[in-house]
Amino acid sequence: GATWSESSFYLALRSGCVRGTCMILDERALPLTRSWCLFELLQTFLLMELPSRGDDDATQFEGLLLCSSSGVLNIGQASN
């Protein structure tokens, strides 16, 4: 798209079908140095502030999941 609101990530995130955003982190957290990744984080946080999309579990937005090669960090499923 010609604008950020026409980007594939923005459109997918706002489609109502997405349950969350997964950020894969390495030892140096390099995704946090990339402007596109920061844009995705911002859009994720903005979406988390919107009212719920319904009572169906399939429509619940779960927000941001921080992941590494060993698992999901924010739910305690990663190992060292």
Side-chain angles (χ1 to χ4, degrees), residues 1-58:
T3 67
W4 59 268
S5 61
E6 296 172 335
S7 69
S8 58
F9 180 83
Y10 181 86
L11 293 173
L13 190 60
R14 298 298 175 131
S15 71
C17 298
V18 175
R19 295 196 55 191
T21 302
C22 173
M23 177 174 279
I24 308 296
L25 295 172
D26 58 10
E27 297 84 22
R28 296 177 19 199
L30 285 178
L32 297 175
T33 67
R34 298 182 184 118
S35 60
W36 189 254
C37 292
L38 295 175
F39 170 77
E40 293 173 350
L41 283 178
L42 172 63
Q43 296 307 316
T44 297
F45 290 132
L46 291 174
L47 189 55
M48 289 170 56
E49 292 184 359
L50 293 177
S52 176
R53 294 186 275 188
D55 295 329
D56 181 7
D57 283 342

